Structure formats: C-alpha cells, structure tokens
Amino acid sequence: MERTLAIIKPDGVVRKLVGTVIQRLEQEGIRVAGMKMIRLTKVQAKGFYKVHQDKPFFDSVTDFMSSGPCVVMVLEGEDVIAHYRKIMGATDFKKAAEGTIRRDFATDIEKNVVHGSDSPETAAFEIGYFFSAMEVG
Ligand code: ATP
Ligand code: MG
C-alpha cells in the first residue's frame, strides 16, 4: 500500500467539486485515509510549492493557492501516486486525457482543480506538511 497527498484547490472548492472529486477517487478503489479543509497563507503556499520557486508562475500559483480554502487529503491504495495522477490528468487540461478530472473541470493551466504528489519522496514531504500521524488512519 502506498500513500499520496491530494489537494482540491481553491477553484475546485469554490465551484463545488469536492464531492465529485472524492467520488471519482473512491470509485477507482482509492481510500481516503486523512482529510481536512485548510486555508493556506501565502507563506505556507510558497513552502508547499518551493520546488517551483524559480519558475515564472511561482508568484501567481502561490497567490491562487492562498486565495481560498483547499481540501487536503491523504490517499491510500496500490500504486496510488501514479494511479491518482492518471485520474487527475495532465497539468494543462487541454492536453489531459478524456475522462480525467482536469480535462473535465479545469479552466486554466493554473486553476486545474486538483494537486497530486509526483513521487514517493514528494508524497512523504507533502503529507508531513499538512498531517500529523494522529490525523491519518
Ligand atoms: P500539481 O503539483 O499541482 O499536482 P502538476 O504536478 O501537474 O500539478 P507542476 O508542474 O507541479 O504540475 O505545477 C504545479 C502547479 O503550478 C500546477 O498544477 C498549476 O496550478 C501551476 N502551473 C504549472 N505550470 C504552469 C504554467 N505554465 N502557468 C501557470 N501555472 C502553472
Ligand atoms: Mg507537481
């Protein structure tokens, strides 16, 4: 069993896509092992996306991620990092495969509804960023 960190980004929460996203994960056999709603400060958003600190979109994406509440989740399943990334679809929703969350709901390369860790190392950092051991079961 593997774990990954998922976020329903502020655009997904505002657009009332929380239930839809969770339903898609559970229908695919993924288990929600931890979940809460949080509002990131700009500083916390910068800490989360620090791997992107030199990218041109860093200031914009961290403004976006701190613009409203997010739902953060720990997901559990076999090969769940790759499995969930497949369900999310490509970063750019125009390039995302049919039936993926981003293809169906994203409106912009930045406002793309969901986040998912991209490796076991990233998942460990990102889960620890949001959850204590007591909050995951
Ligand atoms: P995430 O890390 O959010 O799961 P990802 O791994 O598909 O997405 P990254 O390359 O890690 O994509 O980019 C992180 C986030 O930064 C993207 O999800 C998107 O919100 C934003 N982003 C990425 N590329 C661009 C871009 N070219 N212009 C604007 N925003 C971007
Ligand atoms: Mg990423």
Side-chain angles (χ1 to χ4, degrees):
M1 279 298 162
E2 191 174 64
R3 283 179 173 178
T4 193
L5 190 279
I7 304 179
I8 305 176
K9 297 184 179 184
D11 60 327
V13 174
V14 166
R15 292 171 56 217
K16 305 186 179 75
L17 294 169
V18 172
T20 302
V21 169
I22 294 171
Q23 185 172 37
R24 286 190 180 204
L25 305 176
E26 291 190 334
Q27 272 170 353
E28 288 275 344
I30 293 171
R31 188 177 82 84
V32 178
M35 177 162 68
K36 60 189 168 186
M37 181 173 271
I38 51 143
R39 168 116 189 218
L40 288 170
T41 63
K42 174 81 172 175
V43 169
Q44 289 165 336
K46 283 167 120 174
F48 176 70
Y49 270 139
K50 69 181 181 198
V51 293
H52 296 307
Q53 61 191 353
D54 297 326
K55 307 267 172 67
F57 58 83
F58 182 65
D59 192 48
S60 177
V61 77
T62 52
D63 272 347
F64 164 56
M65 290 300 285
S66 57
S67 67
C70 292
V71 174
V72 289
M73 292 180 277
V74 177
L75 304 181
E76 189 179 82
E78 207 174 302
D79 210 13
V80 73
I81 295 172
H83 186 191
Y84 171 56
R85 296 259 321 169
K86 197 171 168 199
I87 297 167
M88 288 200 308
T91 312
D92 182 356
F93 72 102
K94 290 176 190 152
K95 295 180 189 145
E98 261 179 60
T100 60
I101 294 169
R102 285 169 166 172
R103 172 68 172 259
D104 289 346
F105 302 112
T107 51
D108 188 292
I109 190 164
E110 178 180 88
K111 293 172 186 63
N112 56 9
V113 186
V114 280
H115 162 81
S117 311
D118 58 13
S119 70
E121 295 71 32
T122 321
F125 164 73
E126 293 180 350
I127 291 169
Y129 199 76
F130 293 110
F131 290 91
S132 69
M134 220 190 305
E135 295 173 311
V136 184

